[in-house]
Amino acid sequence: MNKEKTDELVEIFAGTSIDAEIVNSLLNNSKIPSFKKDVNMGTLAPWQVSAGGAGAVKIMINSNDYKAAQSIVEEYTRNKAK
C-alpha cells in the first residue's frame, strides 16, 4: 500500500528578515501555523541576505497548508512589487 506523505515541513518563503516577519504574521493571522528558520543569519549579517538567496530567512509550514499559504505569499509578493 503506497501511502502519501503528509504533515511534512516545507519552505513557503525565503527572503529578508523584514519580509519573512511580515509573511509569517500574514500566515499566522490566517490561522496557518508557520515559523521562521535561519533567523540568525538575517539578524547578524543582513547585508548578506538576499531574497531567496544565501542566508535568507525561511518560512516553514506544514505541507497540508501549502495551497492556502501559497496564495497568501503570492499576494504579498505581488503587492510588494507595486
Side-chain angles (χ1 to χ4, degrees), residues 3-79:
K3 193 174 180 183
E4 233 180 274
K5 287 185 179 181
T6 58
D7 293 333
E8 288 183 345
L9 292 177
V10 294
E11 179 183 311
I12 189 70
F13 179 82
T16 65
S17 295
I18 294 169
D19 287 333
E21 185 63 40
I22 293 169
V23 169
N24 193 47
S25 292
L26 290 170
L27 292 170
N28 287 322
N29 289 341
S30 296
K31 308 292 187 235
I32 299 173
S34 62
F35 68 93
K36 294 178 283 186
K37 180 180 172 190
D38 298 334
V39 176
N40 290 338
M41 184 60 178
T43 303
L44 297 174
W47 58 89
Q48 293 180 354
V49 175
S50 60
V57 178
K58 292 147 187 87
I59 301 295
M60 306 299 290
I61 60 164
N62 185 300
S63 60
N64 294 330
D65 296 322
Y66 189 83
K67 285 191 181 223
Q70 184 178 26
S71 65
I72 292 168
V73 171
E74 287 173 355
E75 182 178 354
Y76 171 73
T77 305
R78 248 190 332 270
N79 289 334

